[in-house]
């Protein structure tokens, strides 16, 4: 096992610059805010720009399967930038979770190439709160012949997905199915979500035709791997959220005057921001370690993912809460974007396992068992 | 450069077989071969090589069984006095001091902090008054580790009380064997005396032992202090390498001590420790590719907090055993012995981690102002003559 590379390569920095430029041009905070209240929660033009023009939809998919042949390290950098903007695009569902599942379950399937090219948008039909170690979901049943019935709640990125990857209990045990969003019998109902920029939907299936992608042990392992990868990479999004909150708050406190002083000159506030910065430095190291270990397929991947989620999930929430608090009354308003980050951070904390869940996972992984009984 | 270093190491080992050579003779020969600190100039223990190559030299010599210079015992000389001497010393001073400093023949200490000037170091009151061809020094210093074993000290003293506090300070090298230097052990809350109080009464320092210009001591001291912070918390560590390893080992060996509440806290602390370790690793990778980040100041802050949290957790985990203490006998250790003693000692000693070498509060100010760019707290003492400061 080689030493982890916790830095960013030049290529990664170039990718970051491209994504950031595109987001600066096409994803200003005012547009994100306006979209939250409109009928269409996602920005299809922005998603096309990212997926097709920049080619980030299949970034870590090997070239032989129609992707860009980069690694999960690069995908993590994209997530940092998307987090920094709370960008309203289905990247997590399509490019991370669904792509991860296809890669693990059936890389030769032509569907993967379509998704990697940005030609089709997919998502993984599990509740967003599902942790990597959770058992195979049993809310959808497959009849012989591949007709699926059941219900999956709180699915991320389902509203725009043209295709859903559905774990279901079939006649021969667990299996993974691809379901067309337009298929008869499929219902996708938007929920009112805590996170305005990543809306959730409930998916109902009533004898919907599905195409079986994998079954049995491989299906179970592929789902677990997709969720593990998703949780590990989510830490990079959380880092991006935290960084925006910290830097925005610092800039505000440099300018804002009260008591005839700039607020940032008060030691009590400086110390809070120094502590937040310190935790962000840790989050960057933990998120990079997870991305690097997942990219390399290293034996420490499960520890790295649990560690990153245990730290970064809580940090992003704290950063967003400090951002609202230190902006004072302005931070409580709808027009200031701080609340979008708070909502994203809190929802991300629950997504793919809470910090408490991941700490409990570590207890088993690093041999620190709890008391008996 | 790498090949030349390897060749020099080979020659040093050929001429001075570690097995048959006196320890001190070997260390002196290593210094003279420029292999002591390779980034120092030739003639002063180095070769003007990149600092990163030192690790290569150290590894080769260690593999050959060569003695080291016991760097923990002489940490103040190596980490603080040497870089300051190198930058501000005269040629005579460098020639006189650096070799015995590096070999450990002469131990150094640091006469900076005073009872009335800790975090506000520039407020120091120890006076140096011109007398003949030198200076006469009177005052009291405190928290002086290794003063009782030291031959030399780096000292800052006030030479002009009419100037604002940062401007009237001068930097000296003080001979600890001179009459008028009195070292008294300062017993700490652990019961031992790692540190000392040092009383300076009519101490004579020749002007040739001044470092930098008269009144420029604050700038010189910045070199010392910056090196101090780099020196703390900079080494690579394996997972569970620090205090967390001690607690985790007890946890694994003593299942009867486990409670649910301690389990939650232990897992949180384990995560914090591993995150801090990775952040330190990331910092080292940045330094290795020549991108020193501002994270250095952060590491000391993080490790102080962790040491305190974990050492407190350990005492609680031990339950009734935690009520006992290993030994209150007053001792004079040469280095901090975290692993050689028991939980109660670790708990008490860790309290110093957030105070020594810059308090956590001062480090937070440094991060806020230098890294985040927040404005400084308004200050009234910057332009006021030192002698008019309220105290």
């Amino acid at each position: 096992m080689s030493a982890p590379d916790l830095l960013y390569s030049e290529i990664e920095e170039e990718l970051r610059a491209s994504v950031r430029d595109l987001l600066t041009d096409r994803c200003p905070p005012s547009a994100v805010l306006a979209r939250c209240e409109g009928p269409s929660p996602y920005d299809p033009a922005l998603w096309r720009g990212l997926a097709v023009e920049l080619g980030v939809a299949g970034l870590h998919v090997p070239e032989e399967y129609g992707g860009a042949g980069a690694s999960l390290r690069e995908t993590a950098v994209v997530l940092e930038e998307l987090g920094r903007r709370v960008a309203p695009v289905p990247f997590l569902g399509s490019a991370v979770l669904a792509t991860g599942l296809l890669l693990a379950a059936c890389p030769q399937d032509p569907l993967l190439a379509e998704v990697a090219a940005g030609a089709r948008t997919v998502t993984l039909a599990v509740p967003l709160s599902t942790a990597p170690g959770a058992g195979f979901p049993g809310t959808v049943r497959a009849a012989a012949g591949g007709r699926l019935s059941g219900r999956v709640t709180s699915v991320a990125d389902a509203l725009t997905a043209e295709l859903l990857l559905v774990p279901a209990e079939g006649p021969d045990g667990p299996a993974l199915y691809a379901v067309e969003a337009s298929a008869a019998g499929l219902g996708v109902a938007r929920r009112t979500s805590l996170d305005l920029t990543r809306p959730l939907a409930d998916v109902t299936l009533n004898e919907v035709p599905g195409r079986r992608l994998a079954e049995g042990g491989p299906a179970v392992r592929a789902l677990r791997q997709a969720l593990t990868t998703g949780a590990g990479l989510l830490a990079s999004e959380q880092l991006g959220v935290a960084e925006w909150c910290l830097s925005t708050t610092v800039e505000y406190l440099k300018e804002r005057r009260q008591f005839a002083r700039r607020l940032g000159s008060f030691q009590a506030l400086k110390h809070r921001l120094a502590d937040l910065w310190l935790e962000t430095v840790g989050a960057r190291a933990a998120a990079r370690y997870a991305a690097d270990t997942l990219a390399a397929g290293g034996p420490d991947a499960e520890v790295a993912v649990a560690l990153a989620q245990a730290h970064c999930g809580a940090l992003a929430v704290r950063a967003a809460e400090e951002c609202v608090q230190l902006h004072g009354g302005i931070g409580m308003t709808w027009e200031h974007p701080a609340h979008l980050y708070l909502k994203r951070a809190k929802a991300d904390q629950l997504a793919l396992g809470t910090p408490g869940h991941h700490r409990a996972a570590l207890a088993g992984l690093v041999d620190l068992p709890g008391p008996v009984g | 450069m790498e090949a030349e270093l390897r060749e020099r190491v080979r020659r040093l080992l050929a001429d001075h077989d570690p097995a048959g050579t006196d320890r001190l003779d070997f260390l002196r020969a290593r210094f003279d071969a420029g292999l002591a600190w390779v980034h120092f100039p030739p003639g002063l223990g180095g070769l003007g090589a990149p600092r990163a190559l030192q690790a290569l030299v150290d590894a080769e010599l260690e593999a050959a069984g060569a003695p080291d210079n016991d760097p923990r015992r002489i940490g103040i000389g190596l980490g603080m006095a040497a870089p300051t001497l190198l930058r501000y010393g005269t040629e005579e001073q460098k020639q006189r001091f650096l070799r015995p400093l590096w070999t450990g023949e002469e131990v150094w200490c640091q006469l900076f902090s005073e009872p009335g000037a800790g975090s506000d170091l520039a407020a120091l009151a120890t006076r140096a008054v011109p007398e003949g061809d030198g200076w006469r020094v009177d005052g009291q210093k405190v928290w002086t580790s290794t003063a009782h074993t030291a031959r030399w000290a780096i000292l800052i003293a006030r030479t002009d009380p009419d100037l604002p506090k940062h401007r009237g300070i001068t930097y000296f090298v003080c001979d600890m064997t001179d009459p008028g230097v009195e070292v008294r052990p300062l017993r700490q809350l652990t019961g031992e005396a790692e540190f000392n109080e040092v009383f300076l009464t009519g101490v004579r320092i020749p002007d040739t032992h001044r470092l930098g210009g008269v009144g420029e001591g604050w700038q010189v001291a910045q070199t010392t202090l910056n090196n101090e912070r780099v020196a703390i918390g900079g080494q690579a560590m394996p997972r569970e390498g620090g205090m967390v390893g001690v607690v985790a080992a007890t946890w694994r060996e003593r299942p009867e001590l486990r409670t649910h509440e301690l389990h939650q806290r232990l897992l949180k602390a384990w995560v914090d420790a591993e995150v801090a370790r990775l952040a330190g690793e990331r910092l080292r990778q940045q330094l290795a590719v020549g991108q020193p980040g501002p994270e250095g100041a952060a590491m000391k802050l993080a490790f102080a907090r962790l040491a305190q949290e974990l050492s407190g957790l350990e005492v609680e985990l031990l339950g009734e055993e935690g009520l006992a203490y290993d030994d209150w006998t007053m001792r004079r250790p040469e280095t901090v012995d975290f692993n050689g003693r028991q939980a109660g000692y670790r708990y008490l000693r860790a309290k110093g981690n957030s105070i020594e070498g810059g308090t956590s509060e001062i480090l937070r100010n440094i991060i806020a102002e230098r890294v985040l760019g927040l404005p400084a707290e308004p200050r009234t003492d910057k332009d006021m003559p030192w002698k008019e400061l309220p105290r």
Side-chain angles (χ1 to χ4, degrees), chain A residues 4 6 270-271 300 368-369, chain B residues 239 251 263 282 285 365 369:
Chain A
L6 304 177
K270 284 156 88 167
H271 284 194
D300 204 38
L368 293 171
Chain B
R239 179 173 286 170
W251 184 270
H263 192 221
R282 187 163 191 278
Q285 292 183 7
N365 285 349
E369 288 171 24

Side-chain angles (χ1 to χ4, degrees), chain A residues 190-261:
Chain A
R190 182 174 178 173
R191 297 191 67 156
T192 303
S193 311
L194 176 65
D195 180 359
L196 292 162
T197 57
R198 181 177 284 145
L200 305 175
D202 292 342
V203 177
T204 48
L205 304 101
N206 188 8
E207 302 207 345
V208 182
R211 180 165 73 86
R212 193 155 71 185
L213 300 170
E215 60 185 319
V220 174
R221 280 193 295 278
L223 178 63
R224 185 179 176 120
Q225 191 179 331
L227 292 169
T228 301
T229 303
L233 294 195
L234 184 66
S236 290
E237 177 177 300
Q238 288 161 332
L239 171 65
V241 168
E243 287 212 307
W244 183 90
C245 292
L246 174 60
S247 61
T248 301
T249 307
V250 166
E251 289 314 308
Y252 180 70
L253 293 190
K254 279 185 195 172
E255 301 304 326
R256 172 77 171 170
R257 285 173 184 273
Q258 298 273 269
F259 310 103
R261 278 168 66 174

